[in-house]
Amino acid sequence: MKNDNMKNQYRVNEQIRVREVRIVGEGGSTVVPTRQALDMARDQGVDLVEISPNANPPVCRLIDYSKFLYQQKKRQKEMKAKQVRVEVKEIRFGPQTDEHDYQFKLKHAKEFLEDGNKVRAYVFFRGRSILFKEQGEVLLLRFANDLEEYGKVEGMPSLEGKKMFLYLAPKKAGAAKKSQQARDREAAEAGTKENVQQVAEEKPANGGLFANAKISADALKKLTDSDE
């Protein structure tokens, strides 16, 4: 069906009924009577294909029509392959996600970003677990920090109802490989990363919520400000 539609896009040989046409080729272009153009096509064993009917006069090529359709189809396929289809992949956490589950989801997030997709990570607070929203925020910040070489943070974690969201956009192709600048920056950021992980893994002294939530905001600010 697609091939039939493509064939109907062009007039060929006797279907071209205008008085004269412009023949284009490697040697330039020339305007000739349509009957003469048809004779030229027959002499060369090819077809007269109208490629620009709205021009004055219409533009035609002397080419094998089957080969022409093949080239057009191939070109459309290549253009379609170059179009980047960005999808948003979701990663769900609980406020007290264990380390094994965290690493499993981190691996998938890296794959999503490497494939050029966005990642929407969120912590779902069920019932009274909403009391631990600071713990969820720190978890998302650790997640963003661990994905620094693969994705770019698009904003601070935000609480919407019972979910806290964090959005990551893929970096440009090849950015997932550590650059020298990124390696040099690691030493300076090591302290920040260590603090974020420590807050996420340790209980606060008062046994309640995370008292050091400010660390998470400072950490994310550094991540959003750094864009290679």
Side-chain angles (χ1 to χ4, degrees), residues 86-89 112-113 116-120 154 168-170:
V86 178
E87 297 182 10
V88 179
K89 303 291 187 178
F112 293 150
L113 292 169
N117 298 309
K118 289 189 175 185
V119 170
R120 175 169 60 192
E154 292 191 326
L168 295 165

Side-chain angles (χ1 to χ4, degrees), residues 91-112 119 121-123 135-148 150 166 168 193 196-198 200-201 223:
I91 301 290
R92 171 175 169 168
F93 292 102
Q96 296 178 327
T97 299
D98 61 42
E99 185 64 22
H100 175 76
D101 192 30
Y102 174 85
Q103 293 298 333
F104 178 77
K105 293 178 178 179
L106 180 66
K107 177 183 176 182
H108 280 290
K110 289 178 180 178
E111 294 173 353
F112 293 150
V119 170
Y122 69 92
V123 179
Q135 184 172 343
E137 182 180 7
V138 173
L139 175 63
L140 290 176
L141 290 167
R142 176 190 175 190
F143 191 64
N145 201 34
D146 289 342
L147 292 170
E148 180 186 6
Y150 301 85
L166 176 72
L168 295 165
K193 183 174 181 179
V196 172
Q197 291 179 340
Q198 183 177 358
E201 297 172 0
L223 289 174

Side-chain angles (χ1 to χ4, degrees), residues 7 26 84 98 110 157 165 179 193:
K7 285 182 180 180
E26 295 180 357
V84 179
D98 61 42
K110 289 178 180 178
F165 292 95
S179 64
K193 183 174 181 179

Side-chain angles (χ1 to χ4, degrees), residues 27-28 30 42 72 99-100 116 121 125 145-146 175 191 194 203 206 213:
T30 181
R42 273 192 293 269
Q72 292 294 103
E99 185 64 22
H100 175 76
F125 300 98
N145 201 34
D146 289 342
E194 183 178 354
K203 260 189 174 180
N206 60 8

